[in-house]
């Protein structure tokens, strides 16, 4: 579904992403994990076309997309969506949930009928209800706001979603609920995920394959079981050693 080939970009003297390559199979979750500043979120923006690479390629479903202008990229916007770390910051505080969920249809499918039915189906799919539609973002908890963000990402029936630290701003118990929701949606809708996280314990619950980033480079990549249980790179081992032990029940 997605292939990243020798992708690179710099901000001044800083090599934010440095010759990174990986592939994501349809229906899988590929997790990029690493400390803050390792280049993970920059990679997410390169994949989504929010940043232009200096070198390398992004290939989506067999078609190179990194060099496309906004007009040519627009059909891919429907198939590729993104959920951001901070749902409070990514939702317009002046728009109700209904208005937020109608927006993708207005932009990409003008003249769409039955919008009320469509937005009700969206909130129901993410565990909310019709009574939430006419409320504003500040009236919801962090977990509920993230559910709204996920619903917005699902509006146009995408095939591929970039999840940029989608649980890091949430309490641990709410994190688990959102991760379970993402797994259910992937199973039910056949979604493919690029999951960005600094938390290797979270990655362990969701991923089929894992790439470990450090200082803009991919230092280890492979099946999740292999990377998380038999890592070859010392940096990966250090990340795993930093996971606090589970408390006895």
């Amino acid at each position: 579904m997605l292939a990243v080939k020798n992708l690179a970009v710099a901000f001044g003297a800083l090599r934010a992403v440095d010759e990174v390559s990986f592939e994501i199979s349809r229906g899988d979750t590929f997790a990029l994990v690493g400390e803050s500043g390792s280049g993970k979120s920059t990679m997410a923006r390169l994949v989504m076309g929010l940043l232009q690479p200096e070198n390398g390629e992004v290939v989506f479903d067999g078609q190179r997309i990194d060099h496309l202008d906004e007009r040519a990229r627009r059909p891919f916007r429907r198939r590729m969506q993104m959920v951001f770390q901070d749902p409070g910051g990514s939702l317009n505080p002046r728009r109700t949930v209904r208005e937020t969920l109608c927006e993708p249809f207005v932009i990409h499918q003008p003249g769409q009928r039955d919008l009320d039915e469509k937005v009700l189906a969206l909130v129901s799919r993410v565990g909310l209800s019709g009574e939430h539609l006419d409320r504003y973002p500040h009236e919801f908890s962090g977990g509920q706001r993230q559910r709204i963000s996920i619903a917005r990402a699902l509006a146009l029936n995408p095939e591929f979603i970039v999840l940029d630290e989608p649980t890091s701003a949430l309490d641990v118990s709410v994190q688990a609920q959102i991760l379970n929701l993402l797994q259910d949606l992937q199973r039910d809708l056949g979604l493919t995920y690029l999951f960005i996280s600094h938390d290797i314990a979270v990655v362990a619950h969701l991923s089929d394959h894992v790439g470990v980033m450090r200082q803009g480079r991919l230092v280890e990549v492979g099946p999740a079981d292999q990377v998380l249980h038999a890592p070859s790179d010392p940096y990966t081992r250090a990340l795993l050693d930093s996971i606090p032990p589970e408390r006895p029940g």
Side-chain angles (χ1 to χ4, degrees), residues 2-17:
L2 185 85
V4 169
K5 303 177 181 180
N6 302 317
L7 215 57
V9 70
F11 304 124
L14 174 66
R15 300 290 293 175
V17 172

Side-chain angles (χ1 to χ4, degrees), residues 94 117 230:
R94 297 182 179 86
E117 292 181 15

Side-chain angles (χ1 to χ4, degrees), residues 11-242:
F11 304 124
L14 174 66
R15 300 290 293 175
V17 172
D18 191 4
E19 300 296 323
V20 172
S21 301
F22 59 83
E23 296 182 354
I24 309 177
S25 298
R26 187 180 297 272
D28 276 5
T29 297
F30 183 93
L32 277 179
V33 63
E35 295 172 314
S36 178
S38 62
K40 310 180 303 300
S41 290
T42 302
M43 176 61 65
R45 284 156 175 76
L46 289 167
V47 167
M48 290 300 297
L50 303 176
L51 285 174
Q52 285 292 111
E54 295 174 4
N55 191 38
E57 301 178 3
V58 178
V59 180
F60 178 76
D61 199 18
Q63 184 169 344
R64 185 175 174 186
I65 62 172
D66 57 275
H67 64 297
L68 298 179
D69 62 24
E70 187 55 38
R71 183 181 179 87
R73 185 180 290 274
R74 188 165 182 174
F76 293 95
R77 295 282 186 215
R78 304 173 190 175
R79 303 176 65 191
M80 306 172 70
Q81 289 291 314
M82 189 165 178
V83 175
F84 294 90
Q85 174 179 357
D86 178 14
S90 64
L91 297 173
N92 189 327
R94 297 182 179 86
R95 288 184 177 169
T96 64
V97 173
R98 186 188 304 275
E99 291 168 332
T100 292
L101 297 184
C102 282
E103 183 181 31
F105 299 107
V106 172
I107 293 173
H108 291 279
Q109 298 177 0
Q112 182 73 235
R113 298 182 178 181
D114 304 321
L115 282 187
D116 283 345
E117 292 181 15
K118 291 181 181 297
V119 297
L120 180 58
L122 284 171
V123 293
S124 298
R125 186 171 283 283
V126 299
L128 299 174
S129 68
E131 68 181 26
H132 296 111
L133 285 172
D134 295 309
R135 299 182 188 175
Y136 291 87
H138 73 271
E139 299 180 73
F140 295 93
S141 68
Q144 288 174 318
R145 285 195 292 267
Q146 195 59 290
R147 289 175 187 270
I148 296 165
S149 296
I150 293 168
R152 181 178 59 184
L154 294 175
L156 299 175
N157 298 315
E159 302 160 63
F160 176 80
I161 299 181
V162 175
L163 301 156
D164 188 8
E165 299 269 14
T167 63
S168 64
L170 306 175
D171 293 339
V172 173
S173 61
V174 180
Q175 283 185 8
Q177 294 170 15
I178 296 299
L179 291 173
N180 289 337
L181 171 63
L182 292 171
Q183 287 180 309
D184 291 344
L185 292 170
Q186 184 174 46
R187 182 192 64 239
D188 295 343
L189 303 177
L191 297 170
T192 304
Y193 290 150
L194 172 58
F195 188 90
I196 309 292
S197 181
H198 68 277
D199 188 338
I200 202 164
V202 168
V203 162
H205 288 289
L206 198 69
S207 308
D208 299 293
H209 291 79
V210 175
V212 181
M213 288 195 73
R214 185 184 188 193
Q215 297 177 347
R217 299 188 67 88
L218 202 59
V219 298
E220 184 161 3
V221 63
D225 284 347
Q226 173 187 312
V227 173
L228 299 176
H229 296 109
S232 61
D233 190 87
Y235 177 68
T236 308
R237 290 197 291 271
L239 287 179
L240 289 166
D241 289 342
S242 70

